[in-house]
Amino acid sequence: MTKPTRGRRAAALAVPLILLGAFGASSREPLLYVSNEIPNTISVVSPRTNAVIATVPVGKRPRGMALSPDRRTVYVALGQDDALGVVDVASGQMTRTIPANRDPELVVLSPDGKVAYVSNEEIAHASAIDIASGKTLFSTPVGVEPEGVGVTRDGTKLYVTAETNNTVSVLDPKTGRLLKTLHVGDNPRTVAFTPDGTRAWVSAEAGGNVTVIDVATDSVVAQFPIRDGKTKPVRIAFSPDGRLAYLTEGAAASVSVVDVARQAVIDSIVVGRRPWGIALSPDGGRLYTADGRSNSVSVIDTKTRKVIAAVPVGERPNDLLYIP
């Protein structure tokens, strides 16, 4: 084995210091996490420089991510490990895994951050995992191919989409009991709540539309198309003031800008190929898309609605998480 030179030893010792500067608890720099399905990593992007500053190895097939309320921990669904990876933001390392039943795809946390809810695609279940103990609190059958999962702001209802059944299951997040089943557009992918918490939007990829659900009554109140209905909307992000919604459109390689009050598309932004994940900066000034077939993240100025940067990341980027 070749003995490392003094210069190489110094460089190796410098790496933890560099990482500490990027991730340390005292740092207030925002971060953008990008889950990469093929290399089993998370790319860490600096929103200040639009460059990858670190790569975090995680488990197999990382997809959905969720941030703890204190912004210190990221939970990533590891579909082929049947687990959640627990990533410490300060160190930029995965510290442990938590069993999450078969094939977890997307994940959200309870408002207090103590419970993780996952969609288990392969077994058509939705599961609740106690983060501290790692125990499964419930695993409830839902429709076939569950994907989108969301919990209401008050933590009283859990919504889970089912791609094959074209339904949303409403569950009691404490017990897992099925409260109601709603029919939505074809191939529903994402459930996202408006900033005021009164409405849930469900994107239908094959249907090319969005279904709007009244959260108080768990009833469908509207459904409207995204452009020509052929763009295949996937994931949704709302502007902080709730006036606009942004939807990634995988097949169209674009993002639609929707006027929430009018429930109408008002603009379209061309991005990389197969955009899936989406994230918005807290001030609403920057929008990010995970372009799954371009292996990049598009950075969009929301005022001009133009792509200002394309950041190379790992292969098959899936989800995005902005950490203020």
Side-chain angles (χ1 to χ4, degrees), residues 50 253-255 267-273 275 285-291 294 296-311:
N50 293 328
S254 59
V255 173
D267 207 347
S268 179
I269 306 165
V270 175
V271 293
R273 291 184 295 128
R286 292 289 183 270
L287 181 69
Y288 304 87
T289 64
D291 304 331
S294 294
S296 62
V297 169
S298 291
V299 183
I300 299 164
D301 183 316
T302 57
K303 289 184 179 179
T304 63
R305 295 177 186 161
K306 301 292 184 182
V307 173
I308 59 173
V311 184

Side-chain angles (χ1 to χ4, degrees), residues 226-227 231 233 237 245-249 254-258 265-269 278 287:
I226 299 300
R227 295 202 281 159
T231 61
Y246 303 95
L247 284 80
T248 53
E249 301 165 340
S254 59
V255 173
S256 271
V257 184
V258 178
V265 175
I266 60 173
D267 207 347
S268 179
I269 306 165
I278 193 166
L287 181 69

Side-chain angles (χ1 to χ4, degrees), residues 44 49 54 69 76 81 89 95-96 100 155 158 167 246 262 264 292 311 315:
V44 183
T49 63
V76 55
D81 284 341
V89 175
T95 59
R96 66 182 178 117
L158 180 70
T167 59
Y246 303 95
R262 293 167 48 202
V311 184
E315 188 175 356

Side-chain angles (χ1 to χ4, degrees), residues 21-22 27-31 46-48 323-324:
S27 173
R28 296 185 180 274
E29 290 293 310
L31 301 171
S46 166
R48 307 266 188 216
I323 306 174

Side-chain angles (χ1 to χ4, degrees), residues 14-27 31 33 42 44 53-58 71-74 86-96 323:
V15 170
L17 297 179
I18 293 170
L19 292 179
L20 183 61
F23 300 110
S26 62
S27 173
L31 301 171
Y33 270 35
I42 290 174
V44 183
I53 58 174
T55 300
V56 182
V58 291
R71 300 185 293 192
R72 295 181 178 179
T73 308
V74 169
V86 181
V87 179
D88 177 68
V89 175
S91 66
Q93 295 183 347
M94 189 174 77
T95 59
R96 66 182 178 117
I323 306 174

Side-chain angles (χ1 to χ4, degrees), residues 230-245:
K230 299 178 181 179
T231 61
K232 300 189 181 300
V234 183
R235 296 188 189 158
I236 306 168
F238 289 98
S239 62
D241 61 10
R243 296 175 61 186
L244 298 175

Side-chain angles (χ1 to χ4, degrees), residues 60-275:
K60 295 178 182 178
R61 201 184 181 192
R63 289 179 287 183
M65 296 181 288
L67 180 65
S68 64
D70 63 9
R71 300 185 293 192
R72 295 181 178 179
T73 308
V74 169
Y75 301 91
V76 55
L78 304 174
Q80 292 182 0
D81 284 341
D82 301 335
L84 293 177
V86 181
V87 179
D88 177 68
V89 175
S91 66
Q93 295 183 347
M94 189 174 77
T95 59
R96 66 182 178 117
T97 59
I98 303 172
N101 291 325
R102 290 287 298 278
D103 191 25
E105 181 156 0
L106 297 185
V107 55
V108 294
L109 300 183
S110 58
D112 61 9
K114 295 182 179 180
V115 178
Y117 301 103
V118 301
S119 52
N120 300 106
E121 185 174 29
E122 189 173 318
I123 60 173
H125 276 220
S127 300
I129 315 297
D130 181 84
I131 288 174
S133 67
K135 293 181 179 179
T136 298
L137 302 177
F138 65 75
S139 184
T140 299
V142 289
V144 178
E145 288 189 289
E147 179 165 344
V149 58
V151 63
T152 56
R153 189 164 58 180
D154 62 3
T156 61
K157 297 174 186 177
L158 180 70
Y159 286 20
V160 185
T161 69
E163 294 184 68
T164 299
N165 293 72
N166 305 329
T167 59
V168 171
S169 297
V170 185
L171 306 181
D172 181 329
K174 300 294 184 184
T175 65
R177 182 171 65 91
L178 178 66
L179 303 176
K180 198 169 185 177
T181 300
L182 302 172
H183 289 275
V184 293
D186 293 348
N187 190 210
R189 294 291 300 270
T190 298
V191 55
F193 296 96
T194 55
D196 64 7
T198 63
R199 296 286 189 269
W201 282 29
V202 179
S203 61
E205 186 175 29
N209 56 40
V210 168
T211 299
V212 182
I213 298 171
D214 181 277
V215 172
T217 62
D218 293 326
S219 59
V220 173
V221 295
Q223 188 176 91
F224 63 94
I226 299 300
R227 295 202 281 159
D228 59 2
K230 299 178 181 179
T231 61
K232 300 189 181 300
V234 183
R235 296 188 189 158
I236 306 168
F238 289 98
S239 62
D241 61 10
R243 296 175 61 186
L244 298 175
Y246 303 95
L247 284 80
T248 53
E249 301 165 340
S254 59
V255 173
S256 271
V257 184
V258 178
D259 183 301
V260 171
R262 293 167 48 202
Q263 296 178 358
V265 175
I266 60 173
D267 207 347
S268 179
I269 306 165
V270 175
V271 293
R273 291 184 295 128
R274 289 282 176 175

